[in-house]
Amino acid sequence: QKEVEQNSGPLSVPEGAIASLNCTYSDRGSQSFFWYRQYSGKSPELIMFIYSNGDKEDGRFTAQLNKASQYVSLLIRDSQPSDSATYLCAVRTNDYKLSFGAGTTVTVRA
Amino acid sequence: EAGVAQSPRYKIIEKRQSVAFWCNPISGHATLYWYQQILGQGPKLLIQFQNNGVVDDSQLPKDRFSAERLKGVDSTLKIQPAKLEDSAVYLCASSFPGVYEQYFGPGTRLTVT
C-alpha cells in the first residue's frame, strides 16, 4: 500500500466549476498535510496546508481533513485556466518525513 | 526574498559518468532536502540535512549517490556512476527548522543516455 494515494485523474473541468481532488494516506499518526501545485516543467509550490480536522479556506481553495478516515481533499472553486496543473498531496508521516502522492493533473477548459 | 537556487538546470550525461548538482537554500533555512522526481511521480525524499548534519538518508542509494552540506548552507548531490534509471528531476527544498512548509528550487533535469 502506498503511503499517499491520489485519485488518478486527469481531471477536466469547465471554467468556473469546482474541481475536487482527493487524497488518502496510510500512516494514522500523520499530523500535517499539504497541497502543492506543480505546473508542467516547474517545481512544486505550496498552496495550502492543514493540521486540524475540518475545513480550511484560502481564497478559492478549500482544504478538508478527516483524520478518522485518513482522508484529505482540496476544492478549487471558480476554476480558472491558470489552475491547470498537477496537484500533489503531501503528508508528514510519523517519522517526520514528507511523503508525496503521484499527483492529479487538472485541466480547466475555457 | 530570494528563493532556493539550483544549478545546473539541465544536464545530459552517458551512463556510468558522474554528475553533481548544487543547491543554495533560502537564507536562514537550516533544513535542506534533496528530492528525486521521476516523470509522472511525486517527489521522493533522498536526503534531509539539519544545518550540516544528516537527519534522514534512508532512501538515498548510497552505493552511487552522495550528498554533503559543508558549513550548513550550500549543498551538493553527486551521482557516480549514473544509471539510466537516474533520469529524473532533482529538486532541492529548504525550510526553517521545526516548520513544515518546504520551498522548492527550480530543479535540475537529468537525462542519462
Side-chain angles (χ1 to χ4, degrees):
Chain A
Q1 182 187 12
K2 294 181 181 177
E3 291 184 21
V4 181
E5 297 205 49
Q6 298 184 239
N7 45 342
S8 56
L11 179 64
S12 180
V13 298
E15 185 173 358
I18 295 175
S20 177
L21 308 174
N22 303 318
C23 174
T24 58
Y25 57 95
S26 60
D27 185 340
R28 187 169 287 278
S30 299
Q31 296 295 321
S32 44
F33 309 86
F34 305 84
W35 284 99
Y36 283 82
R37 177 175 63 200
Q38 187 171 28
Y39 291 114
S40 180
K42 302 295 185 182
S43 59
E45 58 176 322
L46 181 67
I47 55 171
M48 289 283 293
F49 60 88
I50 186 167
Y51 302 148
S52 304
N53 277 329
D55 295 0
K56 180 181 179 182
E57 188 173 315
D58 184 358
R60 296 186 294 109
F61 297 98
T62 298
Q64 300 173 317
L65 175 61
N66 183 326
K67 290 185 178 179
S69 300
Q70 296 176 239
Y71 173 91
V72 59
S73 67
L74 179 71
L75 299 177
I76 307 173
R77 292 184 302 280
D78 187 25
S79 295
Q80 302 297 309
S82 60
D83 296 326
S84 297
T86 296
Y87 291 81
L88 298 165
C89 173
V91 174
R92 184 166 293 276
T93 55
N94 221 13
D95 57 359
Y96 302 103
K97 288 193 296 191
L98 197 62
S99 292
F100 284 84
T104 300
T105 298
V106 174
T107 300
V108 181
R109 309 187 304 272
Chain B
E1 177 183 82
V4 177
Q6 289 188 248
S7 67
R9 294 293 311 277
Y10 305 92
K11 191 73 177 180
I12 301 174
I13 61 172
E14 295 181 351
K15 59 183 179 183
R16 292 187 290 273
Q17 286 187 324
S18 62
V19 65
F21 313 127
W22 173 83
C23 173
N24 181 248
I26 291 172
S27 178
H29 282 193
T31 309
L32 185 147
Y33 314 81
W34 283 103
Y35 289 88
Q36 179 193 58
Q37 187 174 24
I38 293 172
L39 187 65
Q41 299 181 19
K44 181 183 83 170
L45 179 68
L46 294 176
I47 189 166
Q48 177 181 340
F49 291 95
Q50 180 78 11
N51 296 308
N52 60 350
V54 175
V55 174
D56 187 332
D57 63 356
S58 58
Q59 299 190 94
L60 186 74
K62 298 179 185 65
D63 58 334
R64 299 183 301 105
F65 286 64
S66 64
E68 61 182 10
R69 192 183 183 197
L70 301 177
K71 301 181 182 178
V73 181
D74 294 5
S75 177
T76 57
L77 176 70
K78 297 179 182 178
I79 307 175
Q80 181 179 16
K83 293 185 176 181
L84 295 177
E85 58 261 37
D86 298 331
S87 295
V89 175
Y90 290 84
L91 295 162
C92 179
S94 69
S95 70
F96 286 112
V99 175
Y100 297 153
E101 295 92 287
Q102 299 180 20
Y103 297 89
F104 285 83
T108 296
R109 183 176 299 275
L110 174 67
T111 302
V112 182
T113 62

